[in-house]
Amino acid sequence: PAGAEPEAIPLVVLYEDDGLIVIDKPAGMVVHPAPGAESGTLVNALLHHCGPSLAGIGGAERPGIVHRIDKDTSGVLVVAKTDRVHQGLAAQFAAHSVERRYSALVWGRPDPGEARLAGLPGVGFEPGGVIRIDAPLGRHRADRKKMAVRRDGGGRRAVTRLRVEEGFGPGGTGAALLACWLETGRTHQIRVHAAHVGHPLIGDPVYGAGRRRPGWALEGLLAAVLDAL
């Protein structure tokens, strides 16, 4: 396959030196070219911003890329500009010495004291109101575009920790802002684990479809969130 081509796509650069660059990736941007997204990706933008020297770092298909986030997720990505830095960053991610934290807005408010949660496979609790989800993820057996919790040997270990930062709506239970941090990094991990515990991400058309919603209008919920933030 042909390598990615440089494209003049604006980037929000949080930090840059001779060895690495830190990008604030917007929602809607794919990290690297793939079938159905051959252009307009972060890699295309990086090749234009950093120049041809980036092309050979870590492989032609994903130059400089050490970790990824989903297309529809916004967040910080660290990209290597030299082989030495690429190897060093990859080793840190492999050793889990780098901590990745995310914020997620979900329907309902997860409660560590709820008996329903305690009875779900793979769900446990840690001090400080932390909910730990240890549930393997793999391709959905009926829809290969989706991921799912798999306990039939078809998944890879996935561990997510989450904690409620703030509640919204009646009694603070209509929705919640969660702090999430990952022990592993699987495709759609937070989205699938949040749905697994019955609190899908608001606006998620894949894993939130068909779920029961609190009796509260989405417009009112978003207004309350914006007022609080």
Side-chain angles (χ1 to χ4, degrees), residues 29-213:
M29 175 181 271
V30 176
V31 172
H32 59 76
E38 288 81 7
S39 62
T41 72
L42 178 64
V43 162
N44 296 109
L46 287 167
L47 289 170
H48 180 271
H49 178 89
C50 299
S53 62
L54 182 69
I57 307 303
E61 294 183 358
R62 304 176 185 180
I65 301 300
V66 182
H67 66 120
R68 297 175 294 168
I69 51 178
D70 295 341
K71 171 187 174 182
D72 294 320
T73 301
S74 61
V76 176
L77 280 171
V78 183
V79 179
K81 295 170 67 175
T82 70
D83 280 324
R84 179 173 175 271
V85 171
H86 189 278
Q87 293 167 11
L89 290 172
Q92 291 181 56
F93 277 99
H96 303 297
S97 61
V98 176
E99 188 173 83
R100 289 163 289 176
R101 286 185 176 266
Y102 299 82
S103 295
L105 192 63
V106 301
W107 289 109
R109 179 172 180 156
D111 181 1
E114 185 183 358
R116 180 191 64 85
L117 272 184
L120 291 174
V123 175
F125 307 98
E126 296 179 348
V130 174
I131 299 171
R132 182 178 185 270
I133 307 165
D134 185 348
L137 299 182
R139 291 289 172 185
H140 194 286
R141 283 175 288 187
D143 186 347
R144 302 297 292 175
K145 294 182 180 179
K146 295 173 62 176
M147 305 298 288
V149 172
R150 297 282 300 268
R151 297 195 171 277
D152 56 1
R156 301 172 66 190
R157 183 170 183 262
V159 179
T160 303
R161 287 177 172 83
L162 57 87
R163 181 180 60 229
V164 174
E165 296 289 284
E166 191 166 0
F168 305 97
T173 61
L177 178 67
L178 305 182
C180 311
W181 56 104
L182 309 182
E183 189 173 315
T184 56
R186 309 300 179 208
T187 301
H188 299 174
Q189 179 172 322
I190 292 174
R191 296 165 65 189
V192 178
H193 275 175
H196 174 64
V197 298
H199 297 279
L201 270 64
I202 292 173
D204 188 341
V206 178
Y207 303 103
R211 301 256 174 183
R212 276 196 318 141
R213 299 288 183 262

